[in-house]
Amino acid sequence: MNDKKYRWAHKAKQSREYRAVAVMIATALGGIALLCVVSWPFFGDYRVVVKIQSTGAAAFALYFLMLGSPTAAIACLISCSQLVISASVRDRYVVVRLYGASLILLTFLSVVTWHGMPSALALTGSSLGSLARLQTSTTRMKSFFLLGAPFWLAHNLMVGALFALGTDVVSLASNFANLMKFMVRRRREISFSSKSSNSNGSPVGIYSGPVIPTCDGVDSCRGFPKRRRSESMAA
């Protein structure tokens, strides 16, 4: 009898130790993901953004897997693969086709691991994230991530992913702040261009020509992030 109690107590102790280690690992993964989410919106270079997001997606995949949310974990892994595609493949046609195939795979695996509304929210949020990563402008990328953030927020509330909830709040705040900053800067540039044209005797009002704002970090006419001259010639 005493031997059985000893074995039970030993197993219980081991279980507590394993749980403590799992919590520590999950906390570390959540911290890495949070750092990536906080930092990437402040970078204008598209390739740097992709690398940071790739690290965050991999950390979140392991984080959700440890929390017992397989659909979200799969969504993060597919997001990570999409980021690698964006960083390594130069042919836009190939990138779009690969993204389409990954979305089909995501839908299939979401059905396989379906567990109700959390799976639907993860699928929707990840799909919008895929559209965000497919953009060649960091401004449009941030806009799509803002659309997908509420779905991930609801998912994390339902599955109890507390660390991910903090990341969602930081992501929403940082992306919204950067977009507002970009809009204010662009409005000032347009206002400055209008004043300059009026001072040079240009027509005013409905007869005036279109104002072309200057590009700040993103080529607004083509929608591509700025590249070095050597990269442009190589492409």
Side-chain angles (χ1 to χ4, degrees):
M1 188 69 179
N2 292 332
D3 187 52
K4 289 183 178 179
K5 288 183 179 180
Y6 173 79
R7 290 180 180 177
W8 181 84
H10 183 67
K11 289 181 180 179
K13 182 180 179 180
Q14 284 184 333
S15 179
R16 288 193 298 269
E17 291 176 352
Y18 291 151
R19 191 179 297 114
V21 172
V23 170
M24 291 177 60
I25 295 175
T27 302
L29 292 171
I32 294 173
L34 177 60
L35 180 62
C36 293
V37 170
V38 171
S39 59
W40 81 258
F42 296 97
F43 290 87
D45 187 88
Y46 183 73
R47 293 186 179 277
V48 175
V49 169
V50 168
K51 291 178 181 178
I52 296 174
Q53 287 185 353
S54 179
T55 304
F60 262 127
L62 296 174
Y63 177 72
F64 282 120
L65 190 62
M66 295 189 69
L67 292 178
S69 182
T71 304
I74 290 172
C76 290
L77 287 176
I78 290 179
S79 299
C80 185
S81 67
Q82 291 174 346
L83 291 166
V84 173
I85 291 171
S86 298
S88 58
V89 180
R90 287 183 174 271
D91 193 334
R92 179 72 175 173
Y93 179 85
V94 176
V95 169
V96 173
R97 295 310 187 268
L98 289 175
Y99 265 61
S102 65
L103 283 174
I104 295 174
L105 180 61
L106 172 62
T107 304
F108 172 75
L109 293 177
S110 297
V111 173
V112 173
T113 60
W114 189 266
H115 52 281
M117 185 57 67
S119 292
L121 293 171
L123 174 61
T124 305
S126 183
S127 298
L128 289 171
S130 298
L131 292 176
R133 282 180 288 274
L134 198 57
Q135 304 303 312
T136 54
S137 165
T138 53
T139 302
R140 291 196 299 270
M141 177 187 288
K142 294 170 186 176
S143 300
F144 274 100
F145 272 120
L146 277 175
L147 292 176
F151 294 96
W152 277 114
L153 185 65
H155 167 271
N156 296 331
L157 279 171
M158 295 188 70
V159 301
L162 300 180
F163 215 107
L165 283 174
T167 305
D168 290 333
V169 173
V170 172
S171 177
L172 281 168
S174 60
N175 280 299
F176 183 76
N178 276 274
L179 282 173
M180 291 300 296
K181 182 179 178 180
F182 174 80
M183 292 175 64
V184 170
R185 185 188 304 135
R186 184 55 57 88
R187 184 177 298 178
R188 290 177 180 175
E189 291 173 353
I190 294 175
S191 176
F192 179 78
S193 299
S194 299
K195 290 180 181 179
S196 299
S197 61
N198 291 338
S199 63
N200 292 331
S202 302
V204 183
I206 60 174
Y207 300 103
S208 61
V211 178
I212 303 177
T214 58
C215 300
D216 184 14
V218 175
D219 189 341
S220 58
C221 301
R222 295 177 59 194
F224 287 91
K226 282 187 174 181
R227 293 182 177 179
R228 294 189 297 271
R229 184 176 183 85
S230 59
E231 294 182 354
S232 302
M233 294 178 67

